[in-house]
Amino acid sequence: MALLLVPGFMADETLWDDMLPALARFGPVVHADLRHDTSVEAMARRVLETAPPSFLLVGFSMGGYVARAIARQAPARVRALVLIATSTRGDTAALQKRKGAIANAAPSIAFSGLSRTAVATSLHPDHRNDDALIERIRAMGTRLGGEVFRRQSMLDRPGDLERSGEIRCPTLVVSAAQDQLRSLEEAREMAAAIPGATLAVIEDTGHMIPIEAPRRLLDVIVPWLAAHADR
């Protein structure tokens, strides 16, 4: 058995650092690489090319879209699926317009990392002045660089709610109660659409649950993964 972790927008493998010791019990940990592709389906195909034959799958935020595509493309290989702070909804018209602006300006944009304001907006109000936390998140984006920022910013994320019935593995949906980017309503919608899915809500955290509240996230997902790892 192995555990495949799929990060979110402008996040790298260090997203999971606080959780890795507890997750190691589920076998080798494999990190998905989302740096190269321009569609969710292409990202999923690339991940599957080097993924273990069978694995537990965890996707965060944008990585949740990719994780669901992986589960659809290779259902026999995914033993169980955890979706954290993500959604089945497609891009809004406003977001599509923003992506178009980024595409048009891309050659002239000098990337210096995600802004402090953008990062703070994703956090729980109690964490928005936590300089160490904010800089840790910004550092992930800086390491990934401008080309990855432009590629991921322009990524088309079509809604896949109507395809939720194609996911047949045990699924856990995890939502942050104070998430300003992905609402509890979206999590409930997703959990209701995926056959047999379970919903868990974590209080007192914003969108960046793996960094803001890693211990509480582990308290939710470790027992659930343990119950499904050997099925």
Side-chain angles (χ1 to χ4, degrees):
M1 182 58 64
L3 180 65
L4 177 58
L5 302 178
V6 190
F9 174 75
M10 293 306 287
D12 63 16
E13 65 274 7
T14 66
L15 173 75
W16 312 100
D17 277 0
D18 297 329
M19 302 175 63
L20 287 181
L23 294 176
R25 62 180 286 186
F26 299 109
V29 174
V30 180
H31 295 282
D33 182 357
L34 307 185
R35 295 174 298 165
H36 307 285
D37 299 292
T38 56
S39 76
V40 168
E41 296 294 331
M43 286 178 171
R45 286 192 294 270
R46 183 184 296 272
V47 172
L48 283 166
E49 286 174 0
T50 57
S54 179
F55 49 86
L56 303 168
L57 180 59
V58 180
F60 167 72
S61 194
M62 182 186 79
Y65 288 79
V66 179
R68 292 194 302 276
I70 290 171
R72 293 193 300 265
Q73 290 181 18
R77 294 171 65 182
V78 181
R79 302 289 294 275
L81 172 64
V82 179
L83 299 168
I84 304 167
T86 187
S87 176
T88 57
R89 296 183 185 180
D91 292 337
T92 63
L95 186 54
Q96 289 175 341
K97 183 177 180 180
R98 175 177 173 272
K99 288 181 176 181
I102 291 172
N104 292 331
S108 62
I109 293 176
F111 182 71
S112 58
L114 300 176
S115 72
R116 180 185 173 89
T117 299
V119 171
T121 300
S122 71
L123 302 176
H124 186 277
D126 290 347
H127 299 150
R128 289 177 185 170
N129 293 312
D130 186 330
D131 291 339
L133 187 67
I134 291 171
E135 288 309 311
R136 178 180 169 187
I137 296 168
R138 293 189 71 244
M140 292 192 293
T142 301
R143 284 191 295 270
L144 290 171
E147 285 305 313
V148 175
F149 171 72
R150 285 183 274 274
R151 199 172 292 124
Q152 292 190 355
S153 294
M154 292 182 285
L155 183 73
D156 181 28
R157 281 188 264 187
D160 62 349
L161 181 66
E162 72 285 351
R163 302 193 65 184
S164 297
E166 297 176 37
I167 298 176
R168 295 299 182 180
C169 61
T171 303
L172 173 66
V173 175
V174 182
S175 177
Q178 288 79 37
D179 192 338
Q180 297 299 304
L181 302 184
R182 290 301 180 187
S183 68
L184 180 55
E185 179 186 359
E186 289 171 89
R188 287 174 174 150
E189 179 179 79
M190 179 166 42
I194 297 174
T198 299
L199 174 65
V201 180
I202 299 179
E203 296 288 342
D204 301 320
T205 180
H207 184 69
M208 298 298 295
I209 313 175
I211 291 179
E212 291 187 75
R215 173 47 56 189
R216 278 174 282 147
L217 180 55
L218 286 168
D219 288 344
V220 169
I221 70 173
V222 166
W224 189 88
L225 285 172
H228 295 90
D230 297 324
R231 290 189 177 183

